[in-house]
Amino acid sequence: MLNKVTSIENIVDNLEDGMTIAIGGWATRRKPMALIRAIARSSVKDLTIISYGGPDVGTLCAAKKIRKLIFGFVSLDHIPLDPHFQLARQSGELEVIDLDEGMVHLGLRAAAMRLPFLPTRLGIGTSVVDQDLFKTIRSPYGDGELLIAMPALKPDVALIHVHESDQAGNSLIFSPDPFFDEMMARAADKVYLSAERIVTTEALDMHKNARFNLFERCVVSAVAEVPFGAHPTGASPDYGIDMNHLKAYKSASDEEAWADYSARYITQSHDEYIDAVGGKDAISSIPAPIY
């Protein structure tokens, strides 16, 4: 397809109950939050989510969309715990596979390489590998080392937020911390992008920006132009993390408060959401964090 441009609503219309969805980004950095809010207000349910989680996971927990969560962590970075995830896990409403961060990476890498597993020492000596997911494998070489066989984590869909894309799905991520989005993109059967900007192929200037093109256009199924689509997480260098909004999100930790938060920020269109959080100029002025 030469033109893969669509809307976030059309992307969500392609999701089905029970799907396994990998969500790109890292905690409060470059999460596809406009897509997450669209899922939260949809009828889709019983999802398995793979994520280095932040408010993406918490929002879907609060909206009762997750059946199973495969994760390395769920954090709001500067706010250590996401209360919506915490409540869902403590109440037992989620099936969880709690992994070392490197194990999530290896599971996605195995799927991206079309392998059933990758061997690792990660998890050895910990209770992580007591979960039913894991088996061991012995090295066939002279050392005979016993290793963990990290199974492939195969998503049906990956949702990833990028800075720029053209109509064909060539995309650029300018953040200094792209982490494992490329593994999710190559592992998934379908990849849906939200982009700060859709530009011409010439404007991407791939000769100059090739290092920011992390995965091939052939894996991209569709892309929606969603300015500020990562808010309240950051999309550095365009805008930083909105800590004031994350504090409001955190405070909406009981049923009544969440209903108010949802009515104001989730049930609205994306344009209405941007107005509700202070407008484009306010988001653009949020400084990028320095780590």
Side-chain angles (χ1 to χ4, degrees):
M1 292 175 60
L2 296 179
N3 189 345
K4 301 177 182 179
V5 177
T6 188
S7 66
I8 56 175
E9 290 77 17
N10 283 341
I11 289 173
V12 174
D13 284 345
N14 281 287
L15 305 182
E16 298 177 3
D17 293 353
M19 273 187 164
T20 297
I21 299 177
I23 303 174
W26 177 276
T28 57
R29 286 168 269 182
R30 212 172 28 78
K31 286 291 182 177
M33 291 304 297
L35 282 167
I36 296 302
R37 288 186 289 271
I39 293 172
R41 60 179 177 262
S42 77
S43 62
V44 178
K45 62 184 185 302
D46 295 329
L47 300 174
T48 294
I49 298 296
I50 305 170
S51 182
Y52 292 96
D56 56 326
V57 169
T59 297
L60 295 178
C61 283
K64 311 298 183 187
K65 299 298 183 181
I66 304 178
R67 178 183 61 82
K68 181 178 182 179
L69 178 64
I70 303 170
F71 67 110
F73 59 78
V74 178
S75 173
L76 302 180
D77 272 335
H78 309 281
I79 302 169
L81 295 178
D82 183 302
H84 310 293
F85 160 73
Q86 184 179 8
L87 179 63
R89 183 162 190 192
Q90 289 178 342
S91 66
E93 66 182 62
L94 299 178
E95 179 184 348
V96 298
I97 298 178
D98 191 349
L99 300 175
D100 172 278
E101 294 171 26
M103 293 175 123
V104 178
H105 173 203
L106 284 179
L108 291 168
R109 182 176 289 275
M113 296 172 69
R114 304 300 188 261
L115 293 173
F117 69 91
L118 282 172
T120 182
R121 297 186 181 96
L122 293 171
I124 292 175
T126 75
S127 60
V128 171
V129 295
D130 293 341
Q131 300 175 90
D132 292 340
L133 179 70
F134 294 105
K135 299 183 184 299
T136 57
I137 185 168
R138 195 168 293 279
S139 169
Y141 298 101
D143 58 281
E145 183 178 359
L146 189 67
L147 299 166
I148 301 299
M150 178 63 212
L153 298 176
K154 177 66 175 173
D156 299 306
V157 167
L159 304 177
I160 298 171
H161 188 71
V162 303
H163 288 93
E164 292 183 354
S165 175
D166 67 6
Q167 292 183 339
N170 295 295
S171 62
L172 301 175
I173 295 175
F174 294 121
S175 297
D177 48 9
F179 297 114
F180 306 116
D181 288 7
E182 73 274 19
M183 293 295 108
M184 292 184 177
R186 295 191 180 110
D189 292 331
K190 293 186 177 180
V191 178
Y192 296 117
L193 306 181
S194 56
E196 293 289 324
R197 299 169 293 278
I198 291 180
V199 300
T200 64
T201 305
E202 291 73 21
L204 290 176
D205 195 355
M206 282 296 188
H207 181 74
K208 174 184 175 183
N209 292 318
R211 65 193 176 100
F212 301 114
N213 174 226
L214 302 184
F215 45 84
E216 301 78 11
R217 72 179 184 186
C218 63
V219 305
V220 175
S221 301
V223 55
E225 186 173 49
V226 193
F228 308 103
H231 186 275
T233 70
S236 178
D238 288 13
Y239 51 91
I241 301 163
D242 191 338
M243 288 306 304
N244 288 331
H245 187 87
L246 285 177
K247 289 174 183 177
Y249 163 84
K250 176 181 180 292
S251 297
S253 55
D254 60 52
E255 188 172 342
E256 182 178 356
W258 179 256
D260 290 342
Y261 178 92
S262 182
R264 185 172 184 185
Y265 298 117
I266 292 179
T267 61
Q268 311 297 322
S269 70
H270 181 66
D271 288 342
E272 290 170 326
Y273 169 85
I274 295 302
D275 290 339
V277 299
K280 298 177 180 180
D281 290 342
I283 299 174
S284 296
S285 68
I286 301 171
I290 299 173
Y291 295 100

